[in-house]
Amino acid sequence: MDMTVNFNDAWDRLWQPQIVDLATGQWVVLLVLVLGLVLPRPIWRITGMYSTLVHELGHVISALFTGRFVTGLRLGWDHSGEVVSRGRGKASIIISGIFGYPAPLLISAALLWATATGYAGRALGIYALFFVLALVFVRNWPAFVALLTYPWA
């Protein structure tokens, strides 16, 4: 058995889109699975932490892009969160304050679009990089636990 790896071929395969061609029934099963992960209250107490984390990452990313210095990200077990940043200008405060709210919706829409167009692997890789970035700003245990369990969720 030949175990040699041609890295050029592997890299080229990585960047080729993989079309997801699901039948209608499979999309329905996927929808039921997703709803099952977010609607029942006992399960939402766990999966909702990721929504809160993405919301707080929306604040972090917008703060960094508007020139603010982010000093911490905290999550509470009750799905509360806080991003602490400092910088100049009222516009940067407003932008970083607002952008957390649409972040979970925008990220979810982008991941669904990427999956439907064959770029799920790349999208999940970029998504994972944002979680690695968040490790730099984490300042408490709930956020740290949510970030460490992300790949297994």
Side-chain angles (χ1 to χ4, degrees):
M1 180 188 296
D2 185 20
M3 297 297 290
T4 60
V5 175
N6 183 336
F7 286 105
N8 290 331
D9 290 342
W11 186 257
D12 289 340
R13 279 192 314 245
L14 177 67
W15 287 103
Q16 295 300 319
Q18 301 295 320
I19 302 301
V20 176
D21 189 22
L22 298 178
T24 305
Q26 291 170 317
W27 280 109
V28 170
V29 168
L30 184 61
L31 176 65
V32 168
L33 179 66
V34 169
L35 291 176
L37 289 172
V38 297
L39 290 182
R41 188 164 177 80
I43 296 173
W44 175 250
R45 293 181 54 79
I46 298 166
T47 60
M49 290 293 286
Y50 298 106
S51 181
T52 303
L53 183 59
V54 171
H55 166 88
E56 296 305 326
L57 283 175
H59 292 304
V60 168
I61 298 300
S62 60
L64 292 174
F65 277 124
T66 57
R68 299 189 65 76
F69 181 76
V70 177
T71 58
L73 182 153
R74 294 178 181 268
L75 293 180
W77 294 116
D78 62 349
H79 296 208
S80 62
E82 175 186 36
V83 171
V84 179
S85 67
R86 58 186 173 164
R88 294 183 158 197
K90 292 184 182 195
S92 67
I93 294 171
I94 293 168
I95 291 169
S96 65
I98 291 173
F99 197 75
Y101 296 98
L105 174 66
L106 295 174
I107 295 299
S108 298
L111 287 171
L112 282 172
W113 173 82
T115 300
T117 57
Y119 296 102
R122 288 186 219 173
L124 288 174
I126 293 168
Y127 190 62
L129 287 176
F130 281 114
F131 277 75
V132 170
L133 169 70
L135 282 171
V136 174
F137 302 111
V138 167
R139 298 293 182 259
N140 69 342
W141 280 109
F144 188 71
V145 169
L147 284 169
L148 287 184
T149 58
Y150 156 72
W152 316 111

